[in-house]
Amino acid sequence: IRVYKVAAVTSNYVYLISSFGLYTVNISDLNSPFYVQRIPGKRYGGVVVDNYAYTVDADGNLQIFDISDPANPTWVANSIYVSYILDAKISSNYLYLSTGDLLVLDITDPASPILEGSYTTPGTTGDIFISKGYVFSANGNTVGIYKFTASSVEQENQDLENAPRASSLEQNYPNPFNSFTVIRYQLLGRQLNHVTVKLYNLKGEEVITLIKGEQSAGSYQVIWDGKNESGEEMSSGIYLCILKVNNWQTSKKLIFLR
């Protein structure tokens, strides 16, 4: 098999991520390791925490498996949409995920993680390291330094009074597109948030409002069919999708090809 990542190593097992699944290999005898089982399906990263495996399936869903019996893993739940996992670290009861951006999950109940914080990094977040309460991340050409507090991730030396109350807005898929595209996002915390998802052209003119209202924490998606509020098909070009949550907002560029 082609191994992309070693998800975890315990006293008797090593867990391997590949394009064919999450493999468990018994290494109790290092001279004679042997294959135990495989959680099938293409995997885009993963991490093992105690008796649970968190791995991303081909649709970008963070799936949770109980591996207390390594030979017979059982599916527990699907959690948030994360696309892929590049790196993962654990500190106290929090799981820090590098997914291109930085996500923080509360895993006090490992079978039911809660998205507690996120930060849209200036580049694509790769390896992460945690020390003295700070998260250090490789962001392409820069190194990011972040501090996590309950329900927010703050970048050092930056005023984030209105810290992100939603995870980073995912890049729409497909992109470019010519008929429809799916826009996914997540909300944080345990309170209701006022949420809008709007599309604008590059002149700053509003094209359509896709979402407007109160939403609680969780994962959401909305489809745009390339039409404006009046149902008229827009011309080919680049459009800006803006997710606004309370007083915080983020955006992604969408490419529409007729």
Side-chain angles (χ1 to χ4, degrees):
I1 63 172
R2 180 179 179 183
V3 177
Y4 292 148
K5 184 177 180 63
V6 176
V9 179
T10 66
S11 57
N12 292 318
Y13 298 94
V14 59
Y15 297 89
L16 307 174
I17 298 291
S18 86
S19 58
F20 298 102
L22 174 64
Y23 286 78
T24 303
V25 177
N26 188 308
I27 56 170
S28 54
D29 181 355
L30 291 176
N31 293 315
S32 300
F34 61 90
Y35 162 81
V36 176
Q37 66 80 34
R38 174 177 68 97
I39 297 175
K42 192 168 186 177
R43 300 287 152 180
Y44 292 92
V47 60
V48 172
V49 181
D50 297 328
N51 290 323
Y52 292 89
Y54 302 84
T55 179
V56 181
D57 66 12
D59 294 322
N61 298 305
L62 182 64
Q63 294 188 317
I64 306 170
F65 292 87
D66 184 335
I67 56 171
S68 52
D69 179 359
N72 295 288
T74 56
W75 176 83
V76 175
N78 279 8
S79 186
I80 61 174
Y81 175 84
V82 297
S83 297
Y84 50 80
I85 296 174
L86 294 174
D87 195 12
K89 293 293 188 295
I90 300 169
S91 180
S92 298
N93 291 322
Y94 293 99
L95 175 62
Y96 295 78
L97 297 179
S98 166
T99 65
D101 291 321
L102 178 63
L103 303 182
V104 185
L105 300 178
D106 183 339
I107 55 172
T108 302
D109 179 358
S112 183
I114 298 172
L115 183 64
E116 283 288 358
S118 74
Y119 194 82
T120 302
T121 58
T124 299
T125 301
D127 292 341
I128 55 177
F129 183 79
I130 301 173
S131 178
K132 298 180 179 179
Y134 292 91
V135 182
F136 299 81
S137 69
N139 301 335
N141 295 324
T142 64
V143 174
I145 304 175
Y146 307 92
K147 184 175 179 62
F148 170 70
T149 56
S151 295
S152 70
V153 179
E154 300 177 0
Q155 184 173 16
E156 281 297 284
N157 303 321
Q158 182 170 343
D159 179 13
L160 289 179
E161 180 179 354
N162 296 315
R165 304 301 299 172
S167 69
S168 59
L169 174 64
E170 301 292 339
Q171 185 64 58
N172 62 301
Y173 182 84
N175 192 48
F177 68 100
N178 59 17
S179 57
F180 71 90
T181 190
V182 179
I183 300 166
R184 292 187 173 98
Y185 61 97
Q186 295 92 32
L187 303 180
L188 302 183
R190 298 174 175 83
Q191 64 183 27
L192 285 175
N193 298 283
H194 183 69
V195 179
T196 61
V197 177
K198 296 185 177 183
L199 292 173
Y200 295 83
N201 61 27
L202 293 184
K203 295 179 180 179
E205 300 168 335
E206 183 176 329
V207 173
I208 190 171
T209 298
L210 297 175
I211 297 290
K212 183 178 182 180
E214 303 294 317
Q215 292 182 330
S216 57
S219 299
Y220 297 87
Q221 70 176 39
V222 62
I223 293 175
W224 184 43
D225 59 4
K227 297 178 181 178
N228 63 15
E229 292 282 10
S230 301
E232 302 167 330
E233 189 169 88
M234 301 301 294
S235 58
S236 296
I238 297 175
Y239 293 86
L240 194 65
C241 176
I242 296 181
L243 166 67
K244 186 173 183 180
V245 184
N246 301 325
N247 294 321
W248 173 83
Q249 69 178 37
T250 187
S251 64
K252 292 289 185 184
K253 290 181 179 178
L254 287 63
I255 302 175
F256 179 44
L257 300 176
R258 295 184 62 178

